[in-house]
Structure formats: C-alpha cells, structure tokens
Amino acid sequence: HKIEQLSDQQLMKEIMSDNFKAFTELYKYKHTLFQFVIRLSHGDYSMAEEVVQETFIIIWENRKKIVVEFSFQGYLKKVSRNLFLKET
C-alpha cells in the first residue's frame, strides 16, 4: 500500500512505528484544524497557527502513547482545543 492510501488507523500504526512519512500524511488535516482553532479564538490567526503547529508537535512527540478511539480528526481537535484553553 502507498502511504497516501492508508486509513487514519493504519497511518497511526505507522506513526507509532516512527514512520515520519506517515506522520506528514496527516498534515492533510492542517487546514480543517486551523479553521477549527480560528473559530475557537474568534479569528486570532497567529494563535491558530501556533496551536495547530503545537498540536502536530505533540502528536509526533507522543506517538508511542496515542490511542485514537474514533477518528484521528476528532483526536486532533481534542488536542488543539486543550492547547487553546491552556493559552487563554
């Protein structure tokens, strides 16, 4: 399977095995996540950029411990919402 054809669950398994290429594939959610944080921050673009970047850093740093129960996109939103709340 090509990395682009893997499901989110398969990508997470690859990421947990230190596959950085699989991790970069998850950047497809960057725009959606940015829009989510923009709404949370009432249009604060710089905060949204910072939260999104920090979210992906946290995902990579904690890749061995991540448990995605439903959707990876939902997990990303949960992490970014928690980061946003810490910032405010």
Side-chain angles (χ1 to χ4, degrees), residues 4-63:
E4 302 84 26
Q5 297 171 334
L6 297 178
S7 70
D8 287 352
Q9 278 73 21
Q10 291 168 315
L11 282 172
M12 283 311 302
K13 286 179 185 167
E14 288 296 314
I15 290 166
M16 291 174 87
S17 300
D18 300 329
N19 184 333
F20 191 74
K21 188 167 170 46
F23 174 72
T24 61
E25 188 62 25
L26 291 174
Y27 276 108
K28 63 187 173 193
Y29 293 123
K30 187 174 82 167
H31 182 71
T32 305
L33 192 58
F34 182 77
Q35 294 302 318
F36 173 72
V37 181
I38 281 289
R39 286 191 299 280
L40 285 178
S41 68
H42 303 289
D44 187 335
Y45 280 78
S46 63
M47 177 183 266
E49 286 177 353
E50 191 174 313
V51 167
V52 168
Q53 184 176 19
E54 193 65 29
T55 297
F56 282 102
I57 291 169
I58 286 170
I59 298 298
W60 181 252
E61 288 177 346
N62 294 292
R63 65 191 174 277

